[in-house]
Amino acid sequence: MGEEAALAEENGGLKVESEEQTSSWPTMRFDVAPYRTHHFSKQFRTDRNPNNFLKGLKWSPDGSCFLASSEDNTLSLFYMPQDGGDSNGYGVPIPEEDSYGASLLVKEGESVYDFCWYPYMSVSDPLTCVFATSTRDHPIHLWDSSSGELRCTYRAYDAMDEITAAFSIGFNPDGTKIFAGYNSSIRVFDLHRPGRDFEQYSTLQKKKEGQAGILSSLAFSPTNSGMLAVGSYGQTTGIYREDNMELLYVLHGQEGGVTHVQFSKDGNYLYTGGRKDPYILCWDMRKSVEIVYKLYRETDNTNQRVFFDIEPCGRHLGTGGQDGLVHMYDLQTGNWVSGYQAASDTINAFSFHPYLPMAATSSGHRRFAIPNDDDEDKNDLQLKADENCVSLWSFYVTSEENTFDENDNGVASKSEEIAIT
């Protein structure tokens, strides 16, 4: 007991497990609805653009902040609060006022097509605090997430020597190159050589075989297998080798244009979602012939890109839809686990925190006000607080601690439900 107390005192009061004791990482509970800890809506609405809806969000790799894209060509950066947010286990109701303001606003000149974080971004190293964006009729921009300054640009030109915009972008796992998707072609930029130098690869072969259409999404295998998945508005997903962009095979089966692709944590499965397609398809990368299963979501009447995400442990997938619900699926079985109401309009992005039992959602869609000659304020859409908004959610977790005691000659286990924010 004396040694344990000394170890606890040395580590700031935290109990440290000895070599004979092992503990498992707390796992999120998806059979219980999470609770809202923070909410943001008013700062996205202006008199000039009252229907400034969200288009997506992404957590930074180190989990210190998240980036949200909105219809007014603005990217808003929000840092995690120092106190971790609400800690009473009940969350907060839908407030009229925002929890806090954005720390950084980046204004682009045109509509934002895609954005992504540098994979080794760490707030403790300012040199790595960058993210890339692609906008209509503009080159790829690399922004400093600390100051909001433009670091550099990566320019692609068409046959008329005019700048052409990338529809999708992504850093390779090494963080040395930027892969960008265009119309039936991929351009690869060296991160350390900004400008107009790039390698170009056509996704169509001479006999018109391969992958045609606008390449709308990119995803790299997380296991460093060298595989790259590319989604196309031509309703196909191509699997390529990262080093030479050799086409390995093409997946057919999406009812709409592919808008999001993501590998499982072990890299053995690929999940694809499409525009006006109510199903997320699961593909086995070791077979790649048949669809393993389909995950339903209500997206069959929207042209929006609806982003889904896989939890850090790799067991569950979360996705939104037009009905404002977030659905959780067990990826081992493909079965629906639970769902909860996250907003009153379309949930266009759901993203798990990289390591905390938290998630973020963004919502909104384009609305058209009905003119009224009797009302001077005819363009007022009267949006509710849970429309065109961003919310942070905290999941309940189950802490399972297995300890081995030589005196008892056995294993003692205990399970406790707790809430962490």
Side-chain angles (χ1 to χ4, degrees):
M1 287 294 294
E3 294 180 358
E4 290 184 6
L7 283 173
E9 185 176 357
E10 291 177 3
N11 290 275
L14 295 176
K15 182 179 178 180
V16 180
E17 300 293 340
S18 63
E19 294 181 357
E20 292 82 17
Q21 295 174 327
T22 60
S23 61
S24 61
W25 182 260
T27 57
M28 287 183 278
R29 290 194 59 182
F30 296 109
D31 58 337
V32 180
Y35 57 91
R36 181 185 284 107
T37 60
H38 298 85
H39 187 74
F40 315 91
S41 61
K42 291 191 67 175
Q43 58 192 292
F44 300 114
R45 304 170 188 176
T46 60
D47 295 336
R48 183 178 180 182
N49 188 6
N51 185 34
N52 178 34
F53 59 92
L54 278 299
K55 298 169 62 177
L57 57 80
K58 295 179 181 179
W59 286 100
S60 62
D62 68 345
S64 62
C65 56
F66 65 88
L67 197 62
S69 174
S70 52
E71 174 65 10
D72 62 350
N73 312 331
T74 301
L75 293 109
S76 306
L77 186 141
F78 296 84
Y79 280 100
M80 286 281 290
Q82 295 293 329
D83 59 358
D86 175 75
S87 59
N88 58 20
Y90 297 101
V92 297
I94 303 172
E96 293 296 331
E97 299 295 330
D98 291 1
S99 298
Y100 53 90
S103 300
L104 181 69
L105 297 177
V106 173
K107 292 285 293 185
E108 284 283 9
E110 290 287 349
S111 178
V112 178
Y113 286 151
D114 198 7
F115 62 98
C116 61
W117 285 96
Y118 178 66
Y120 298 101
M121 179 270 184
S122 174
V123 71
S124 60
D125 186 359
L127 290 177
T128 64
C129 294
V130 294
F131 61 89
T133 62
S134 177
T135 57
R136 183 173 59 192
D137 299 330
H138 283 69
I140 297 172
H141 292 158
L142 190 69
W143 296 94
D144 190 316
S145 63
S146 299
S147 63
E149 297 180 354
L150 181 64
R151 288 270 189 99
C152 54
T153 62
Y154 302 87
R155 303 186 298 275
Y157 292 83
D158 57 16
M160 303 299 293
D161 201 35
E162 296 179 349
I163 289 181
T164 179
F167 296 99
S168 58
I169 53 175
F171 289 93
N172 67 335
D174 295 335
T176 58
K177 297 180 179 180
I178 298 177
F179 284 65
Y182 295 82
N183 192 351
S184 302
S185 67
I186 293 284
R187 291 177 171 89
V188 182
F189 299 88
D190 190 326
L191 180 64
H192 304 290
R193 296 184 63 186
R196 60 182 301 167
D197 294 333
F198 56 84
E199 299 177 2
Q200 183 170 347
Y201 303 92
S202 175
T203 57
L204 277 178
Q205 309 300 326
K206 294 182 179 179
K207 297 181 180 180
K208 300 299 180 181
E209 297 178 353
Q211 193 177 19
I214 292 175
L215 306 182
S216 58
S217 55
L218 304 170
F220 291 88
S221 174
T223 59
N224 294 323
S225 61
M227 296 178 64
L228 167 66
V230 180
S232 168
Y233 283 159
Q235 303 180 3
T236 61
T237 301
I239 308 300
Y240 299 85
R241 286 184 54 179
E242 177 193 337
D243 53 357
N244 58 8
M245 289 303 297
E246 176 189 354
L247 179 62
L248 302 178
Y249 42 84
V250 179
L251 305 177
H252 300 267
Q254 208 80 48
E255 295 180 7
V258 179
T259 57
H260 188 200
V261 294
Q262 185 172 352
F263 280 95
S264 62
K265 298 300 181 180
D266 59 5
N268 291 331
Y269 297 91
L270 179 71
Y271 298 89
T272 62
R275 173 175 291 173
K276 284 193 172 183
D277 188 342
Y279 293 104
I280 298 173
L281 306 183
C282 174
W283 307 85
D284 192 335
M285 291 291 93
R286 298 161 295 185
K287 298 179 181 178
S288 69
V289 178
E290 298 179 354
I291 300 172
V292 180
Y293 52 73
K294 299 181 179 180
L295 310 178
Y296 176 78
R297 58 180 181 172
E298 190 173 334
T299 57
D300 44 344
N301 292 317
T302 178
N303 284 316
Q304 283 185 279
R305 300 177 67 178
V306 178
F307 299 94
F308 53 87
D309 196 18
I310 299 174
E311 61 155 323
C313 295
R315 176 68 184 269
H316 296 86
L317 179 146
T319 180
Q322 289 177 268
D323 51 4
L325 292 172
V326 171
H327 297 280
M328 297 294 175
Y329 288 93
D330 189 329
L331 298 184
Q332 290 189 353
T333 62
N335 295 331
W336 180 86
V337 176
S338 65
Y340 67 94
Q341 193 76 36
S344 296
D345 51 3
T346 304
I347 299 294
N348 49 52
F350 178 87
S351 181
F352 283 105
H353 191 276
Y355 53 85
L356 292 177
M358 296 182 63
T361 58
S362 65
S363 75
H365 56 256
R366 184 170 283 107
R367 296 173 172 86
F368 299 96
I370 300 176
N372 187 353
D373 295 336
D374 298 332
D375 188 0
E376 296 180 356
D377 196 15
K378 60 183 178 181
N379 292 324
D380 189 1
L381 297 174
Q382 299 296 330
L383 296 177
K384 296 186 293 185
D386 61 345
E387 295 177 329
N388 292 5
C389 63
V390 171
S391 292
L392 299 185
W393 305 86
S394 183
F395 289 87
Y396 292 94
V397 302
T398 300
S399 179
E400 295 181 355
E401 190 177 64
N402 296 328
T403 60
F404 178 76
D405 192 340
E406 292 182 353
N407 297 327
D408 294 337
N409 296 320
V411 176
S413 62
K414 60 181 179 180
S415 179
E416 179 185 8
E417 183 183 324
I418 56 177
I420 298 179
T421 58

